[in-house]
Amino acid sequence: MTSKRRILYTVTMQYVFGLLLLFMIGATLGWCLELVYRRFVSSKKWINPGFLNGPYLPLYGFGVCLLYGICSIPMPLWAQIVFIVVMMTVIEYIAGLIFIVGMHIKLWDYSKQWGNIQGIICPLYSLFWGALGVLFLFFVYPFLHHAVDWLAATPWFLFILGLFYGVMLIDVAVSFQFAVRLRRALAELKAAVRYEELKRRIHADRKAEHKRASFLFPFKTDKPIRAYLAEMVSGVKAAIHKKDKDTADDINELQENHTTEE
């Protein structure tokens, strides 16, 4: 190998290891952020967030890699901010669409938010991602810009990267196998369910039976998963039926009042 090829190989590998490092940092910190958000804002409980079992969320890993790339592009500050908001919204939409269409699984649901599109994205959360992106641009990127190259060239840290991705790949295989089982059951029921609602139901069920609920393996249960899915789907259908009935009653009442006035 010539000196030029050796230099090119070294630079390329450092770049690849840098991206892997960014993904690991983003996925891990994103998991921590979502964990705290669910505990103190949305669910008010400690719930293992996301599709995988381990402490990482790939969506945040891809998001951090994307943010790092955008911050590295020389452009006006306002253009960087707009680009960050748009691209974070796009990546969230693509990820949500893949799971809803491909797996019949809702990892999140913005259906109650104003201006939402298919319950996957909405203006409010686009602003949240934009705010996080701006914080990344001003406070995180300057630090990572110097730290990534140094860490990517550090032998002991490469071992940590290998360990992280080895565990995560096994987790991905196990989680997708479970997701395929869910998809088959949901295809028969002709519905989609919220992933975290299923976790909450299993957790509550095990607590009621005085059994230990697993945090890292939230789908561990003695009861068939399909039974939980059937309960969830029937509950949703019942709520929709009640809503439709209430709407019909309101329309009938308005019509009766109108007739009386005439």
Side-chain angles (χ1 to χ4, degrees), residues 31 38 46-47 53 56 70 76 87 98 102 116-117 123-124 126 132 137 139 173 179 198 205 229 233 239 241 261:
W31 183 87
R38 278 154 181 73
W46 292 111
I47 297 177
N53 297 301
Y56 29 70
I70 294 173
M87 293 309 298
I98 288 172
N116 77 86
I117 299 177
L124 177 62
S126 291
L132 286 175
L137 174 63
F139 299 105
L198 178 56
D205 197 31
L229 298 177
V233 172
H241 176 73
E261 291 173 0

Side-chain angles (χ1 to χ4, degrees), residues 179-199:
V180 168
R181 287 168 50 204
L182 274 185
R183 186 183 185 282
R184 289 172 183 167
L186 291 169
E188 294 175 8
L189 295 170
K190 297 180 180 179
V193 299
R194 293 187 62 183
Y195 216 54
E196 290 187 3
E197 177 61 25
L198 178 56
K199 292 180 183 179

Side-chain angles (χ1 to χ4, degrees), residues 2 10 32 35-36 47 51 57 71 117 120 130 133-134 142 147 160 162 182 189 229 239 248 259:
T2 64
T10 303
C32 295
L35 182 69
V36 173
I47 297 177
F51 173 71
L57 292 176
C71 294
I117 299 177
I120 302 174
V134 171
I160 295 176
L182 274 185
L189 295 170
L229 298 177
T259 304

Side-chain angles (χ1 to χ4, degrees), residues 71-93:
C71 294
S72 301
I73 300 173
M75 64 174 75
L77 180 60
W78 67 266
Q80 277 186 323
I81 294 174
V82 171
F83 200 21
I84 285 171
V85 174
V86 171
M87 293 309 298
M88 294 302 288
T89 302
V90 168
I91 196 172
E92 184 181 33
Y93 181 75

Side-chain angles (χ1 to χ4, degrees), residues 190-257:
K190 297 180 180 179
V193 299
R194 293 187 62 183
Y195 216 54
E196 290 187 3
E197 177 61 25
L198 178 56
K199 292 180 183 179
R200 281 195 292 267
R201 284 176 179 260
I202 293 174
H203 185 275
D205 197 31
R206 291 190 69 82
K207 287 290 186 182
E209 295 175 357
H210 303 289
K211 295 180 179 178
R212 184 174 178 275
S214 176
F215 179 76
L216 285 179
F217 301 97
F219 297 113
K220 181 182 178 182
T221 176
D222 301 325
K223 184 178 176 180
I225 290 294
R226 199 181 189 287
Y228 286 105
L229 298 177
E231 289 175 6
M232 292 173 67
V233 172
S234 63
V236 171
K237 289 181 178 178
I240 292 173
H241 176 73
K242 182 179 184 303
K243 183 179 180 181
D244 291 343
K245 184 178 181 301
D246 292 343
T247 302
D249 291 342
D250 291 341
I251 292 173
N252 290 334
E253 184 179 349
L254 287 171
Q255 289 176 339
E256 289 173 2
N257 293 337

Side-chain angles (χ1 to χ4, degrees), residues 135-149:
L135 290 175
F136 180 91
L137 174 63
F138 286 106
F139 299 105
V140 181
Y141 175 74
F143 169 76
L144 281 182
H145 184 63
H146 299 289
V148 166
D149 291 337

Side-chain angles (χ1 to χ4, degrees), residues 14 17-18 21 68 143-158:
Q14 284 188 344
F17 286 136
L21 173 62
Y68 189 84
F143 169 76
L144 281 182
H145 184 63
H146 299 289
V148 166
D149 291 337
W150 179 78
L151 288 172
T154 305
W156 63 266
F157 205 82
L158 298 183

